[in-house]
Amino acid sequence: MDYLTENIDSLNQKLAAGTVSADELLQASLDQIDAHKNLNAWITVDKDAKPDADLDFKASKLAGVPIAIKDNIVTKGLRTTAASHILDNFVPVYDATVIKRLHKAQATIFGKTNMDEFAMGSSNENSYFGLVRNPWNLDHVPGGSSGGSAAAIASGDVVAALGSDTGGSIRQPAAFNGIFGIKPTYGRVSRWGLIAFGSSLDQIGVLTKRVRDAAEVLNVIAGPDDHDATVSERPVPDFTAALGKDVKGLRVAVPKEYMSDAVDADVRAAVQKQIDALQAAGAIINEVTLPYTKYVVPTYYLIASSEASSNLQRYDGIRYGFRAKDTKNLMDVYLKSRSEGFGEEVKRRIMLGSFALSAGYYDAYFMQASRVRTLICRDFDNIFKDNDVIVGPTTTTPAFKIGEEIQDPVKMYNNDILTISANLAGLPAASVPAGLSDDGLPVGFQIMGQRFDEAHVFQTADFIECSNKFYQQKPAGLED
Amino acid sequence: MNFKSTIGLEVHFELKTKSKIFSPSPVTYGADPNTATNVIDWGYPGVLPMVNKDVYRLGIMVALATHAHILPQTHFDRKNYFYPDNPKAYQITQFFQPLARDGYVEVEVHGKKKRIGIHEMHIEEDAGKNTHGTNGFSYVDLNRQGVPLLEVVSEPDMSDPDEAYAYLEKLRKIVQFTGASDVKMEEGSMRVDTNISIRPAGQEKLGTKVEMKNLNSFEHVRQSLAYEEKRQQQVLLSGGRVQMSTRRFDENTGKTYLERVKEGASDYRYFPEPDIPPYKIKQSWVDEIAKTLPESPMDRRKRYIDEYGLKPVDADVLLQTKESSDFFDSTVKAGGDPVLAANWLNTQVNGYLNDHRLELADVKLTPEHLAAMIKLIKDGTISSKIAKKVFAETIANGTDPKQYVEAKGMVQLSDVSVLGPMVTKVVDDNPQSVEDFKNGKDRAIGYLVGQIMKQTRGKANPKLVNKLLNEELNKR
């Protein structure tokens, strides 16, 4: 079984025809994971997992299909660590809503993918369980924070993975690994069971090789949930309905800030090719401006870190997770467990967020960031009055080298400049492969839509996928 | 030197909902530790709060009953602090946009009416409970975690402990009559924190505030404030400075003791709760809730006195609890004479409850039965003496008074054709009493009534017997 050439529909047909069994599919995934051990894409793999009994291949396309789960989504009975020492022994007692829905669709859930600790990072170098390597070049990072999910897809461990995206954590690794990744609208997918990082920004999404596969999975996990007050009551359309639609007349905005010199020339060139293809197919290309782009990184890091500083307070060594030894009193338990349990980047953001929320600084930092956030939203609303999608590069560079940026947090944070806005504004956004850089590393093409308009995002991504057929390429690093 | 006191109160009410504010766990009192909890209460990774809308409804009732302005949009905020009984390490409360602002209650102290302002009221979740074992371990019970609270913050409008006491009494009564809370200090469904500062008369600037938390009774509130007034005066008179601090009241010594000094305000790093969208409160919903708001104790008192002719003291006794006031209203509705109903409730019923240490809800007496009994007394079917027997039976066993009276043949004898000859015979048989009567000894008639009662085994209508005896004696 070569997952690099399969997709959910093809697997479903084979399962239905009986030419392959769900057990064999699961075994194929376990074998692939074993073969790609050097990537370190997985934190926990349950070798004793079994596909559902009584699989109904007609009722569900996901029936018997192994799906990878990012390790910040809680799975009942299956260890969930958020790649942190502080949760390295944590076995959840309940399933996230998305997991419940995947179970209902009879998908096979058997393992948890590596990530940056608590989803904080853009390189997957911040994991307690070690860094993840990029299948296209093992010396390069896979991106983050959903680096494990992206590497697992790119290397053919599975055809679909769940990720989460707070500032680009699905799209940036998707871009770095030459795969598709979509962060739906904030409020489209329930966050119940997603270990919180930045609650007003976090969104669960899907990483796949093929656009259609992501639409199939999103169809299953999206929709209202009485466990999450921030999920929209809107009915969920069939996302596959948008695929294959003609892009003639599609109004495509290209922000000039996204195609500036700050973006590598080869990245820009690869992206421009996709824009040209859209234009050639009859799409209307409009150059627009997003003047607040220069403020999005500080705005984002203030809001996300502030929320994180509060969300991560519950990890105190008292009720679950890691507790430090040799403690003298309550304060000692708190201090030692948290000092030893959290990694450097997590501590940095807790400190940053605590500072931004503290009395005397709240107005200058958190409040000011909230105001800028409102202005950024307004920017996007204006563009979407006359446009269906906004496109550009997903990242300013292709995957950088392991160790290259980890010592310079600000440089690392600036990686997210093109992806963060969609989180601040709650927009659906995806990354679809655009081609390869001069160094043979994948380049991502980002597509953003108006809130709850995933349909146009899928339509555009599907067009790009069909036009450049990047999915036919195999990651170079795998041939070693 | 004269001093002026400035007192403000923060009162927490547990709102009476079936389930907790953000989780489906039941609200219980006295259940085994941690049995009324779920993953939300434990603050497990990945959990999210879902607001129990009933909390808004009950909060709005209290806001309406205290004339507060309900904000058109309210939202929750996080108050961050570490403590074992606070599993998320933040409390979800309302800091920036509370449920309501600018209310008031009216009190009467030392014969003077005064309006005490309510600064704001907000909804929040309760924390769990820490207990410290003798074995060196501490224990956390999260049953209370997430129980909905309404915190009512007064303006610093009270200038002496008696006003604080009166405010608490009034506020408790108002909240109790909305039905939004059980308001039981002993069970923690009503909790009081006080703030007091003093300043020399004539000085504008307020003095330094001292806070006292978790006072057990209104009386302790009064005592602790009175003690603090004196203590702070002595501090100032001896040239000292009052420390901004939290103090604890010891009910055994009647004194307050320093618990911790506050150096500036604590930094709780408040920020808007991102997991709960802002909630719009429509005026139409408020109007609907207003329609369901039970009549306030003030309105009831007026009705009892003006319409029913009750004595103010009787009205006040009835209004001590919502239960007794409701029982009274139902009795009147069932046809019971209001004055008699009030008398029976305030004397016989209360006496019975006190003797047996019971609550009104614990006994089988219904307003319908009490009304039926009052009717039997009023129409002369039974005497008040008989009524006491009937009452004893009804309150103990829930027996229908009318059926009981009929079954036991307790109906009063009011037939003149039967009583007439008996009266004649008794007067004939007791010439000495006739003599005494003629000599102006009123007691004589009592003896004769007693004879008739004896012969009828208490069933004779005493009024009628009296009347017939007088007529008969005057004939002689």
Side-chain angles (χ1 to χ4, degrees):
Chain A
M1 185 55 52
D2 181 2
Y3 282 129
L4 291 176
T5 58
E6 299 288 345
N7 56 63
I8 288 173
D9 280 0
S10 71
L11 292 174
N12 179 249
Q13 282 158 20
K14 284 180 179 141
L15 286 164
T19 55
V20 69
S21 72
D23 288 312
E24 287 167 335
L25 285 190
L26 176 56
Q27 192 54 51
S29 280
L30 295 174
D31 292 346
Q32 288 298 307
I33 291 167
D34 223 29
H36 307 139
K37 252 190 178 149
N38 59 333
L39 298 178
N40 196 30
W42 298 74
I43 289 176
T44 304
V45 175
D46 178 11
K47 295 215 159 87
D48 301 323
K50 292 259 179 303
D52 251 28
D54 307 321
L55 291 167
D56 186 342
F57 304 117
K58 274 211 183 96
S60 168
K61 286 199 168 164
L62 301 189
V65 176
I67 291 185
I69 309 297
K70 187 178 181 179
D71 208 23
N72 60 349
I73 298 171
V74 302
T75 42
K76 190 176 173 177
L78 185 59
R79 185 174 72 141
T80 301
T81 70
S84 182
H85 183 25
I86 212 157
L87 282 176
D88 64 1
N89 60 1
F90 179 65
V91 179
V93 293
Y94 74 103
D95 272 328
T97 295
V98 291
I99 301 298
K100 264 188 240 159
R101 291 182 182 176
L102 287 178
H103 274 311
K104 204 169 163 234
Q106 300 188 305
T108 303
I109 291 167
F110 68 102
K112 309 299 288 288
T113 51
N114 207 341
M115 54 183 282
D116 284 298
E117 184 180 358
F118 284 103
M120 296 176 185
S122 312
S123 68
N124 219 126
E125 291 168 289
N126 298 325
S127 169
Y128 176 68
F129 297 91
L131 56 82
V132 177
R133 292 177 185 278
N134 190 319
W136 290 82
N137 184 330
L138 300 182
D139 294 332
H140 287 246
V141 301
S145 65
S146 310
S149 286
I153 299 295
S155 60
D157 293 346
V158 284
V159 292
L162 293 191
S164 69
D165 190 316
T166 306
S169 279
I170 286 174
R171 291 160 286 155
Q172 185 248 23
F176 281 10
N177 286 275
I179 62 165
F180 178 71
I182 181 163
K183 175 201 95 74
T185 310
Y186 184 83
R188 186 60 107 180
V189 177
S190 169
R191 292 183 293 118
W192 171 256
L194 172 66
I195 295 181
F197 160 19
S199 308
S200 73
L201 304 153
D202 295 341
Q203 191 59 197
I204 292 174
V206 193
L207 298 98
T208 55
K209 198 145 169 75
R210 304 299 300 274
V211 174
R212 173 172 289 272
D213 288 353
E216 308 258 27
V217 175
L218 195 56
N219 275 348
V220 169
I221 63 171
D225 178 23
D226 57 13
H227 279 103
D228 179 357
T230 62
V231 168
S232 169
E233 292 295 319
R234 284 167 194 252
V236 180
D238 176 2
F239 295 115
T240 63
L243 309 177
K245 270 196 187 164
D246 197 346
V247 295
K248 194 167 176 219
L250 185 76
R251 298 167 304 167
V252 179
V254 182
K256 62 175 195 231
E257 292 81 1
Y258 287 18
M259 294 294 269
S260 75
D261 290 349
V263 179
D264 282 4
D266 52 348
V267 171
R268 261 184 287 148
V271 167
Q272 189 57 49
K273 253 192 208 167
Q274 318 309 313
I275 296 170
D276 294 345
L278 280 164
Q279 191 162 30
I284 303 151
I285 311 296
N286 300 315
E287 196 193 62
V288 298
T289 176
L290 284 170
Y292 287 101
T293 301
K294 59 184 165 198
Y295 301 115
V296 299
V297 172
T299 300
Y300 168 84
Y301 276 91
L302 284 170
I303 290 172
S305 304
S306 295
E307 293 180 356
S309 72
S310 172
N311 285 329
L312 269 61
Q313 289 176 139
R314 69 188 64 196
Y315 309 108
D316 56 9
I318 301 287
R319 293 166 308 282
Y320 47 75
F322 167 75
R323 181 186 296 173
K325 291 192 177 66
D326 303 323
T327 51
K328 290 195 292 285
N329 52 38
L330 178 67
M331 190 49 76
D332 214 28
V333 173
Y334 287 159
L335 290 174
K336 280 193 177 147
S337 300
R338 288 169 67 80
S339 296
E340 296 168 24
F342 288 133
E344 288 304 305
E345 183 59 29
V346 172
K347 286 184 205 167
R348 181 170 11 253
R349 298 203 195 185
I350 290 174
M351 286 191 283
L352 177 64
S354 301
F355 176 78
L357 288 178
S358 49
Y361 297 98
Y362 180 84
D363 286 343
Y365 292 103
F366 184 83
M367 265 307 281
Q368 185 66 4
S370 300
R371 285 190 203 105
V372 176
R373 184 179 190 174
T374 307
L375 295 174
I376 292 167
C377 290
R378 210 171 289 164
D379 257 12
F380 280 101
D381 286 341
N382 281 333
I383 292 179
F384 282 120
K385 276 181 197 151
D386 310 310
N387 293 279
D388 301 311
V389 289
I390 297 172
V391 303
T394 308
T395 57
T396 54
T397 68
F400 44 90
K401 277 195 173 146
I402 290 167
E404 194 178 319
E405 296 189 2
I406 193 74
Q407 299 309 327
D408 186 348
V410 174
K411 194 172 176 197
M412 187 72 95
Y413 294 173
N414 276 320
N415 271 308
D416 305 331
I417 185 159
L418 300 174
T419 47
I420 278 170
S421 299
N423 300 85
L424 289 171
L427 310 173
S431 180
V432 65
L436 292 177
S437 70
D438 295 346
D439 296 331
L441 288 164
V443 171
F445 181 73
Q446 183 173 227
I447 308 153
M448 294 185 257
Q450 180 56 297
R451 276 180 287 278
F452 297 101
D453 186 18
E454 285 85 2
H456 275 119
V457 175
F458 273 117
Q459 181 194 355
T460 312
D462 179 60
F463 171 84
I464 302 292
E465 180 184 79
C466 293
S467 103
N468 68 24
K469 297 196 167 42
F470 184 85
Y471 56 87
Q472 293 173 346
Q473 303 203 38
K474 213 178 155 191
L478 292 183
E479 281 152 10
D480 293 340
Chain B
M1 196 191 286
N2 274 329
F3 290 95
K4 280 181 91 172
S5 298
T6 304
I7 298 170
L9 301 182
E10 289 165 19
V11 184
H12 285 88
F13 293 102
E14 272 183 11
L15 293 174
K16 208 173 167 180
T17 54
K18 289 196 181 72
S19 58
K20 294 183 178 178
I21 180 167
F22 301 124
S23 93
S25 301
V27 171
T28 57
Y29 178 75
D32 285 344
N34 296 310
T35 53
T37 61
N38 72 4
V39 287
I40 299 172
D41 310 320
W42 282 84
Y44 262 62
V47 298
L48 296 169
M50 286 293 277
V51 181
N52 177 349
K53 299 280 192 309
D54 223 27
V55 171
Y56 291 126
R57 186 179 65 84
L58 296 176
I60 289 169
M61 288 182 101
V62 175
L64 288 169
T66 52
H67 318 282
H69 168 65
I70 295 156
L71 272 68
Q73 179 172 294
T74 182
H75 77 74
F76 287 96
D77 305 292
R78 290 189 187 175
K79 178 182 181 178
N80 297 287
Y81 65 95
F82 284 95
Y83 209 58
D85 66 9
N86 178 28
K88 299 185 296 297
Y90 57 81
Q91 179 197 31
I92 304 179
T93 178
Q94 296 185 315
F95 182 71
F96 297 106
Q97 273 173 281
L99 180 73
R101 287 194 177 118
D102 300 331
Y104 67 86
V105 301
E106 248 163 2
V107 297
E108 204 177 312
V109 188
H110 313 310
K112 270 199 296 184
K113 277 192 178 159
K114 184 169 178 179
R115 201 174 258 203
I116 309 288
I118 289 171
H119 177 67
E120 58 141 79
M121 57 186 75
H122 60 259
I123 298 166
E124 62 189 22
E125 60 179 338
D126 206 346
K129 213 174 198 167
N130 294 340
T131 45
H132 304 289
T134 48
N135 54 359
F137 286 94
S138 289
Y139 300 89
V140 180
D141 176 9
L142 293 180
N143 283 353
R144 207 177 64 181
Q145 164 63 36
V147 168
L149 297 177
L150 183 75
E151 180 174 347
V152 179
V153 182
S154 82
E155 297 288 356
D157 283 352
M158 289 151 279
S159 45
D160 68 49
D162 289 339
E163 283 184 10
Y165 188 94
Y167 167 77
L168 285 173
E169 282 264 281
K170 196 59 175 286
L171 183 64
R172 175 173 67 176
K173 191 159 283 182
I174 290 170
V175 173
Q176 188 198 22
F177 275 70
T178 64
S181 172
D182 278 339
V183 300
K184 289 183 184 157
M185 293 282 280
E186 64 279 14
E187 289 183 10
S189 56
M190 178 177 182
R191 282 168 248 165
V192 182
D193 302 338
T194 63
N195 284 297
I196 177 169
S197 68
I198 65 163
R199 61 187 150 143
Q203 179 186 307
E204 283 261 320
K205 194 172 170 282
L206 290 176
T208 307
K209 222 164 44 168
V210 166
E211 184 184 40
M212 287 175 284
K213 280 179 173 285
N214 291 322
L215 294 143
N216 286 337
S217 71
F218 293 176
E219 198 44 52
H220 290 164
V221 170
R222 176 148 59 191
Q223 286 172 20
S224 62
L225 289 171
Y227 179 83
E228 266 305 299
E229 276 186 329
K230 279 208 198 95
R231 186 189 69 82
Q232 293 181 23
Q233 283 177 20
Q234 278 163 8
V235 169
L236 294 183
L237 287 171
S238 61
R241 215 170 48 97
V242 174
Q243 265 183 317
M244 179 134 107
S245 57
T246 301
R247 297 181 70 87
R248 180 180 55 82
F249 176 70
D250 187 322
E251 52 203 72
N252 296 317
T253 61
K255 295 178 179 173
T256 69
Y257 298 90
L258 180 69
E259 203 158 70
R260 66 192 159 93
V261 177
K262 288 185 171 179
E263 286 163 9
S266 307
D267 191 352
Y268 291 115
R269 289 173 286 122
Y270 287 99
F271 75 103
E273 166 57 270
D275 288 330
I276 304 170
Y279 191 71
K280 285 198 169 62
I281 293 176
K282 288 196 193 117
Q283 188 55 42
S284 57
W285 193 42
V286 174
D287 294 342
E288 243 173 74
I289 293 168
K291 277 185 212 146
T292 68
L293 199 65
E295 192 184 13
S296 75
M298 294 76 85
D299 289 346
R300 289 188 198 215
R301 187 173 192 273
K302 198 166 173 331
R303 179 162 55 87
Y304 292 175
I305 295 167
D306 294 356
E307 278 183 41
Y308 297 159
L310 301 193
K311 287 185 207 131
V313 59
D314 283 334
D316 288 337
V317 173
L318 286 174
L319 286 162
Q320 261 170 2
T321 67
K322 180 164 187 284
E323 285 72 28
S324 79
S325 169
D326 283 348
F327 198 101
F328 170 74
D329 280 339
S330 300
T331 305
V332 173
K333 212 176 155 197
D337 173 76
V339 175
L340 281 176
N343 285 341
W344 274 86
L345 275 167
N346 289 347
T347 54
Q348 300 300 323
V349 176
N350 274 349
Y352 182 90
L353 297 178
N354 287 339
D355 290 348
H356 294 80
R357 298 185 177 279
L358 293 170
E359 305 260 344
L360 202 45
D362 303 329
V363 294
K364 289 175 178 164
L365 183 73
T366 66
E368 290 72 26
H369 284 168
L370 184 60
M373 201 186 75
I374 288 167
K375 269 192 249 173
L376 292 174
I377 299 168
K378 253 218 135 173
D379 66 14
T381 310
I382 55 173
S383 63
S384 29
K385 202 173 155 197
I386 294 287
K388 281 180 187 153
K389 281 187 199 161
V390 177
F391 171 75
E393 171 64 22
T394 302
I395 198 163
N397 302 315
T399 313
D400 183 292
K402 208 168 171 208
Q403 284 172 11
Y404 183 70
V405 163
E406 278 164 11
K408 291 276 172 184
M410 286 170 156
V411 177
Q412 195 159 247
L413 189 53
S414 303
D415 191 340
V416 181
S417 66
V418 178
L419 290 176
M422 286 174 86
V423 166
T424 312
K425 188 166 184 295
V426 146
V427 174
D428 288 347
D429 292 352
N430 294 283
Q432 185 59 45
S433 295
V434 179
E435 191 81 353
D436 290 349
F437 179 77
K438 298 263 178 208
N439 291 334
K441 285 186 184 165
D442 283 350
R443 260 184 320 167
I445 203 160
Y447 173 76
L448 295 172
V449 170
Q451 292 303 307
I452 303 268
M453 285 303 186
K454 215 170 174 183
Q455 287 173 35
T456 59
R457 273 176 292 160
K459 282 190 229 164
N461 181 338
K463 262 192 203 157
L464 187 58
V465 171
N466 252 305
K467 184 173 158 254
L468 292 174
L469 272 171
N470 263 308
E471 285 169 7
E472 187 61 35
L473 286 166
N474 283 325
K475 276 190 220 160
R476 308 274 167 134

